[in-house]
Amino acid sequence: MLPRTGPTPETLADGWVIDVPAAQGIDGVELDNTVTALLDAPLNVHSVLIERHGKLVAEYYQGGKDRSVYALFSTRHSFGPATRQDMRSIGKSITSLLYGVALGEGQVPALSTPVLDAYPTLADLATPEKRRIAIGDLFNMANGLDWHEGGRGVNDELRLFWKRDIARYVLGHGMQTAPGTAFNYNGGGTAILADLITRGTGKPLYVYARSRLFEPLDIRDWEWVADVHGRSMAFNGLRMRPRDLLKIGRLVLDDGQWRNKQIVPATWIRQSMKTVIGTDVRNYRYGHQWWGGVAHWQGQPMEWHAGFGNGGQRLYIIPALDMAIVTTAGAYDEDPTAIRVNDLVQQVIDCVKR
């Protein structure tokens, strides 16, 4: 077995203030028991991190099997606070933040804009139904396209790795439902959002992300894996340290600020945290490339928001408790791990005493 570290966070020069759970109203023993039970289970979870009130209070790592988005087979790795990990579809939530920044700068279309208005060369695809697909429908996974994603084998998302004309490929699919009426998970919509950012700003996605989001957060060690045409894969290619992903959680909790500096417009953060459509996952809802659900604390319901990534990657944000949680794992397309990390948000909330 590869070594495990935790629960005490390591002190690094990365902007995090370290504290103990009890000082932030969390029962440290109960929390340690909760997280250890998850790590001990045969689920291939690699890390769990918790912050509250801007203080990093718990940080666990253990080794396990993992594979990149291009790899066919997993190999064993050690993990720690300085190790980049695949965040998979959490990159969708990061892309949403970047779109909000670009929108605030007036460089991308409003969410009410029909997608095809941004692509006049695709006029041949403009059926009456597709003309009704708004950019907001891409954000909400409710574009109505007949898109199949997830599970093993080649699917519509995997074909994005090779397609040169992303917008034509995605919008070339037939219609399944009316836009805005039904949830259907679609990474192609995220790829179009990234393309709109690149077109509007004149910068590749990773360059814009570095200057507008990651450098202001003092995130230096990251990469955005590219497709075969050299474009960052917004829908699944982001790799970063879990500690740095946790900064994104604090950024959202603080209405787009990090250390008193406004990085993402507060209006966009508030809009992004509004889930607008029901999903086929439990009782979860979705909106603006973020998942949402309800947990309970001391008998009271409270909303959480999250970025989800295949394999067990999670960024949970619980505004009412001013708390964020990160998990990473290597259990790609494995439901038992997804179920357990989805349960973790309530289990950690149960450890909060004040």
Side-chain angles (χ1 to χ4, degrees):
M1 178 180 291
L2 293 172
R4 177 185 298 174
T5 62
T8 304
E10 186 172 336
T11 300
L12 301 175
D14 65 351
W16 275 116
V17 176
I18 307 302
D19 207 346
V20 296
Q24 302 304 322
I26 302 171
D27 186 319
V29 174
E30 187 177 341
L31 179 66
D32 186 55
N33 290 338
T34 296
V35 176
T36 299
L38 175 67
L39 296 174
D40 284 344
L43 299 169
N44 199 20
V45 175
H46 300 153
S47 73
V48 178
L49 294 82
I50 296 117
E51 73 91 48
R52 194 175 189 212
H53 304 321
K55 308 290 180 59
L56 180 59
V57 299
E59 181 178 35
Y60 297 78
Y61 298 96
Q62 68 179 2
K65 290 186 176 181
D66 200 23
R67 60 181 171 85
S68 73
V69 295
Y70 279 109
L72 296 177
F73 303 101
S74 297
T75 56
R76 294 192 68 82
H77 300 270
S78 295
F79 295 102
T83 309
R84 276 182 281 175
Q85 299 193 44
D86 276 14
M87 298 305 167
R88 300 292 171 118
S89 287
I90 294 179
K92 294 179 172 71
S93 303
I94 305 300
T95 299
S96 175
L97 294 176
L98 293 170
Y99 199 97
V101 175
L103 185 64
E105 296 174 342
Q107 296 180 312
V108 290
L111 271 61
S112 59
T113 306
V115 178
L116 284 168
D117 283 3
Y119 292 97
T121 59
L122 302 184
D124 57 301
L125 300 180
T127 64
E129 294 82 4
K130 289 183 182 179
R131 286 185 182 278
R132 291 199 293 270
I133 302 174
I135 291 171
D137 295 323
L138 303 183
F139 270 99
N140 299 331
M141 301 285 183
N143 52 56
L145 294 166
D146 186 13
W147 182 272
H148 301 277
E149 180 171 336
R152 300 182 183 277
V154 176
N155 56 54
D156 288 334
E157 182 209 31
L158 291 177
R159 293 185 179 94
L160 287 168
F161 287 47
W162 291 276
K163 296 295 181 179
R164 182 175 294 279
D165 190 337
I166 289 290
R168 177 170 289 279
Y169 167 62
V170 175
L171 296 171
H173 283 69
M175 296 297 294
Q176 188 175 46
T177 59
T181 63
F183 175 84
N184 184 34
Y185 198 78
N186 186 330
T190 310
I192 290 178
L193 296 176
D195 185 59
L196 291 173
I197 292 170
T198 295
R199 288 166 174 258
T201 65
K203 299 177 181 178
L205 184 68
Y206 77 93
V207 173
Y208 192 71
R210 182 177 59 210
S211 64
R212 294 298 196 275
L213 186 62
F214 293 142
E215 285 185 352
L217 287 170
D218 196 24
I219 296 174
R220 308 287 176 177
D221 185 14
W222 62 281
E223 67 174 317
W224 217 322
V225 177
D227 64 14
V228 300
H229 302 290
R231 300 166 298 197
S232 299
M233 293 191 292
F235 50 94
N236 78 346
L238 184 62
R239 290 173 50 80
M240 61 195 304
R241 303 186 312 167
R243 289 172 70 115
D244 289 335
L245 179 61
L246 199 60
K247 290 181 179 180
I248 300 295
R250 175 46 50 187
L251 176 81
V252 173
L253 286 166
D254 287 344
D255 280 340
Q257 291 189 6
W258 173 257
R259 302 300 184 239
N260 298 315
K261 180 179 179 181
Q262 196 73 43
I263 297 172
V264 180
T267 53
W268 180 257
I269 295 293
R270 293 169 191 148
Q271 181 178 355
S272 298
M273 295 300 103
K274 295 179 180 178
T275 55
V276 298
I277 195 163
T279 75
D280 51 1
V281 180
R282 294 191 178 184
N283 60 346
Y284 298 166
R285 296 181 63 80
Y286 197 87
H288 305 91
Q289 305 281 285
W290 293 90
W291 294 83
V294 176
H296 291 82
W297 182 66
Q298 298 184 355
Q300 298 299 314
M302 57 179 55
E303 291 186 345
W304 54 259
H305 312 281
F308 280 13
N310 185 14
Q313 332 312 322
R314 299 289 187 270
L315 168 60
Y316 287 110
I317 298 161
I318 309 101
L321 293 179
D322 195 34
M323 182 170 69
I325 305 163
V326 160
T327 69
T328 61
Y332 304 106
D333 301 319
E334 296 178 14
D335 289 341
T337 300
I339 292 168
R340 284 291 297 274
V341 295
N342 288 351
D343 291 340
L344 183 66
V345 62
Q346 179 64 65
Q347 293 168 352
V348 172
I349 286 173
D350 289 340
C351 299
V352 178
K353 305 307 175 186
R354 57 176 173 81

